Amino acid sequence: MNKDTVQDGLVVSMEYTLSVDGEVLDSSQDAPPLQFLAGYDNIVPGLEREMIGMKIGESKNVVVSPSDGYGEFDEDAFMEVPRGDFPDDMEVEIGMELGISDEDGNHQMAFIESFDEKTVRLDFNHPLAGAELHFTIKVVDLREPTSEELEHGHVHEEGHHHD
Ligand code: ZN
């Protein structure tokens, strides 16, 4: 197999800038390139699809629609939770990110949208739901994953260890 283009099962290093509505939200500038394992849902699907087949050194502008990015904004993805369900000593703040597990053990991220003395309103939309994502990317390296990375389905950055 030819391993000098971006394809599933290779670790891709890339420089990137992410802009939404003309505002830069995230960039690898002044940081090491971002690494991801292609084919394992490590980055938004619309970006990964456009990167398949790119060579080292190649740059591209990619526009990703919400459905291929962080999802459409869902008006129904809100939930009201009694204030009493939160620990007394927890300071509840608007915008706070929470990890919520349901009865089946499914884990989801939510943000506190608003609250009063009785109720906390949670927003399960991703902060970038509904946004058109504008990426400028450059492929800077490609390599084979280690067997452990392949098993886990993600990249282990140098110096980063976990179980
Ligand atoms: Zn791992």
Side-chain angles (χ1 to χ4, degrees):
M1 192 166 44
N2 179 357
K3 302 273 189 174
D4 63 5
T5 60
V6 174
Q7 58 196 273
D8 288 358
L10 285 186
V11 173
V12 182
S13 298
M14 68 166 177
E15 294 171 355
Y16 73 98
T17 301
L18 166 61
S19 307
V20 172
D21 295 330
E23 189 189 342
V24 175
L25 295 188
D26 198 8
S27 170
S28 63
Q29 211 176 1
D30 307 323
L34 177 76
Q35 294 187 57
F36 72 96
L37 180 56
Y40 288 80
D41 296 329
N42 290 172
I43 62 171
V44 294
L47 179 58
E48 182 166 276
R49 197 168 56 229
E50 287 296 319
M51 291 184 71
I52 297 297
M54 286 179 72
K55 295 185 177 74
I56 293 172
E58 205 177 331
S59 302
K60 207 173 190 180
N61 294 317
V62 179
V63 179
V64 176
S65 65
S67 60
D68 274 339
Y70 292 105
E72 304 284 356
F73 187 81
D74 183 358
E75 297 284 351
D76 297 323
F78 291 87
M79 192 168 77
E80 296 196 341
V81 179
R83 182 78 170 79
D85 284 6
F86 290 82
D88 283 342
D89 58 355
M90 182 180 152
E91 205 167 324
V92 173
E93 282 175 55
I94 288 172
M96 186 184 268
E97 190 177 1
L98 301 168
I100 311 277
S101 298
D102 68 15
E103 291 151 355
D104 301 323
N106 296 314
H107 196 74
Q108 258 190 301
M109 298 313 292
F111 295 85
I112 295 177
E113 194 227 9
S114 60
F115 65 92
D116 60 23
E117 284 147 40
K118 287 185 179 154
T119 310
V120 177
R121 190 168 143 90
L122 301 177
D123 180 357
F124 286 88
N125 285 292
H126 187 280
L128 289 177
E132 187 179 72
L133 312 172
H134 293 250
F135 289 99
T136 301
I137 51 157
K138 182 180 181 184
V139 176
V140 294
D141 195 25
L142 294 168
R143 67 169 171 87
E144 299 271 2
T146 65
S147 54
E148 194 186 45
E149 286 175 325
L150 207 52
E151 201 177 299
H152 288 199
H154 56 229
V155 169
H156 293 164
E157 306 267 359
E158 215 168 310
H160 168 86
H161 295 281
H162 74 134
D163 295 327

